[in-house]
Amino acid sequence: MTTAVADSAEDWLSRINFNSLLMDGMLSFLLFAGALHVDLSRLKAYRRSIGLLATLGVLVSTIVIGSAAWWLFQWASIEVPYLYCLVFGALISPTDPIAVLGIMRSAGAPADMEIRIVGESLFNDGVAVVLFTALLGTASIGNGEIDLGHMGLLFVEEAGGGILMGLALGGLVYQLMRSIDQYQVEVMLSLALVLGGYALSSALHVSGPIAMVVAGLIIGNMARAGAMSDNTRRYLDGFWELVDEILNAVLFVLIGLELVLMPISLTAIGVALTLVAVILLSRLVIIGVPLRILRRWYTFRKGTTRVLTWGGLRGGISVALALAIPEGEFREPLVVTTYIIVLFSILVQGLTIGKLVKMVVGDRCHTESQDDKH
């Protein structure tokens, strides 16, 4: 029976083009849905700390985690080239904005903590996807060399082009929504924005993920305030929340089926759990150092570093990127390691972050500190 299930799963999975399904399909929906729920007016107040965490933080995290993964794979006699370990570092660096937002709100987190961690999660997704794409393209060439100049130029073109594309598309749909007062049409416009906008971005070789983040911010803020009725807001939010839940469920089903065909050894579990410790430690440093520097100009609530560190949940984005790695001898250990880390993040960090928020903030967790500037 077990063999029959495994054979059926293998036959079905062999027909799926994961790279096309995830990178050209699901990812755009996940990022747009996350951006819809971010308050841009509050986000601006924390732009410096969020900018540091979403750019320099992602780069440092990729190098540190990738290097640790390479050393651990070598120790476990698992052959994975250093470039592919950096690819792994890029895909495991982004945090899940939807999961983080839900947990922080249910825990009664203060507004400043909530917007920091959600804003960082949102933008590091876009940056990490661009970095992942550049590293995977370099690794796929197979010469083992890293052309920093080419990668840097690609990063600027993709990121800058993605921002401009998101502004243009978001602005266009905003104007269309202003002239309409039918929630069915407005929901369809948001769907057309994601499908058409991501395809157009890919055709023009700019970052579709970043374009979707920017467009989502415009629709979730400008259009929500100036172009939507209360009825439209309710239906639009409900639609995209459902889309996000469905796609995350599909992602975990797909990777679960993948794992049916992948033997998980105690060595793989040991490597993954050690990397969990590396990820948390590196995140503590990456968050703690910039916040300590910025304390000269801004005031931060006590416990912010601990909450941001433990609240950096890995979720659907990391799973999607792992499954998008092309078939090859290096794919299996990276997918298995990603899945174990994401499971730990959701089951352990996700179930305890609420308690941590209440512990570090205390009775003031439902109100924002009056003297807290940022």
Side-chain angles (χ1 to χ4, degrees):
M1 182 66 179
T2 304
T3 303
V5 171
D7 291 342
S8 299
E10 184 174 8
D11 180 62
W12 186 67
L13 289 170
S14 65
R15 303 176 189 177
I16 300 175
N17 185 335
F18 282 107
N19 188 63
S20 177
L21 174 66
L22 300 168
M23 296 300 289
D24 298 333
M26 290 186 179
L27 198 58
S28 58
F29 289 91
L30 291 169
L31 292 172
F32 184 83
L36 274 179
H37 300 89
V38 176
D39 187 338
L40 194 57
S41 63
R42 289 164 56 196
L43 194 66
K44 288 179 182 178
Y46 312 109
R47 60 187 180 276
R48 291 179 178 84
S49 57
I50 289 172
L52 276 173
L53 294 175
T55 52
L56 184 61
V58 169
L59 292 172
V60 173
S61 175
T62 297
I63 295 170
V64 171
I65 296 171
S67 300
W70 180 81
W71 185 86
L72 285 167
F73 284 137
Q74 292 291 314
W75 170 80
S77 299
I78 301 172
E79 289 299 324
V80 180
Y82 184 67
L83 259 176
Y84 275 92
C85 290
L86 289 179
V87 169
F88 170 77
L91 71 87
I92 208 66
S93 291
T95 51
D96 190 330
I98 297 294
V100 170
L101 180 61
I103 291 171
M104 295 293 279
R105 283 183 176 171
S106 65
D112 57 304
M113 280 188 179
E114 178 187 311
I115 196 64
R116 268 197 189 90
I117 197 166
V118 173
E120 181 229 342
S121 296
L122 187 64
F123 283 98
N124 71 16
D125 283 352
V127 172
V129 171
V130 173
L131 186 59
F132 168 85
T133 304
L135 285 169
L136 185 60
T138 304
S140 300
I141 295 173
N143 58 13
E145 296 180 1
I146 303 176
D147 187 342
L148 294 178
H150 174 71
M151 282 185 59
L153 180 61
L154 178 64
F155 188 89
V156 171
E157 289 178 351
E158 289 254 337
I163 291 172
L164 293 176
M165 178 65 72
L167 289 171
L169 293 174
L172 174 62
V173 172
Y174 165 61
Q175 292 299 328
L176 291 173
M177 284 183 170
R178 287 186 64 184
S179 63
I180 299 168
D181 190 21
Q182 288 183 297
Y183 73 87
Q184 301 96 327
V185 177
E186 291 175 84
V187 170
M188 291 298 291
L189 278 173
S190 69
L191 184 60
L193 166 61
V194 175
L195 288 170
Y198 202 88
L200 182 60
S201 299
S202 299
L204 296 177
H205 303 291
V206 299
S207 175
I210 290 181
M212 291 304 99
V213 169
V214 174
L217 287 173
I218 292 174
I219 301 303
N221 288 269
M222 292 176 61
R224 185 186 298 277
M228 295 184 196
S229 64
D230 291 339
N231 200 35
T232 298
R233 293 188 197 103
R234 185 171 63 254
Y235 277 101
L236 188 77
D237 287 341
F239 173 79
W240 283 104
E241 285 170 10
L242 180 61
V243 167
D244 182 74
E245 293 292 339
I246 291 173
L247 291 183
N248 272 288
V250 169
L251 281 174
F252 281 95
V253 168
L254 289 175
I255 201 166
L257 290 172
E258 284 273 334
L259 289 174
V260 169
L261 311 175
M262 297 180 185
I264 301 179
S265 63
L266 289 176
T267 300
I269 295 174
V271 168
L273 292 180
T274 305
L275 282 172
V276 167
V278 173
I279 290 168
L280 290 173
L281 183 60
S282 63
R283 184 167 172 81
L284 178 64
V285 175
I286 290 167
I287 289 173
V289 172
L291 293 192
R292 185 169 291 274
I293 294 172
L294 291 172
R295 282 184 192 278
R296 298 181 180 180
W297 301 280
Y298 305 107
T299 301
F300 294 95
R301 186 183 297 272
K302 182 181 178 182
T304 296
T305 300
R306 279 178 285 167
V307 171
L308 292 183
T309 299
W310 194 249
L313 306 182
R314 270 63 182 178
I317 303 298
S318 294
V319 173
L321 295 180
L323 288 174
I325 297 174
E327 290 291 341
E329 59 182 312
F330 313 125
R331 185 177 187 269
E332 180 178 312
L334 297 181
V335 171
V336 170
T337 304
T338 300
Y339 188 63
I340 295 172
I341 291 172
V342 169
L343 276 180
F344 176 91
S345 178
I346 293 172
L347 296 178
V348 179
Q349 292 173 247
L351 293 176
T352 57
I353 183 63
K355 295 179 181 178
L356 177 62
V357 169
K358 292 174 182 177
M359 183 179 71
V360 299
V361 180
D363 294 334
R364 297 178 302 164
C365 67
H366 292 281
T367 58
E368 195 165 350
S369 175
Q370 294 300 316
D371 62 349
D372 196 1
K373 297 179 183 177
H374 297 282

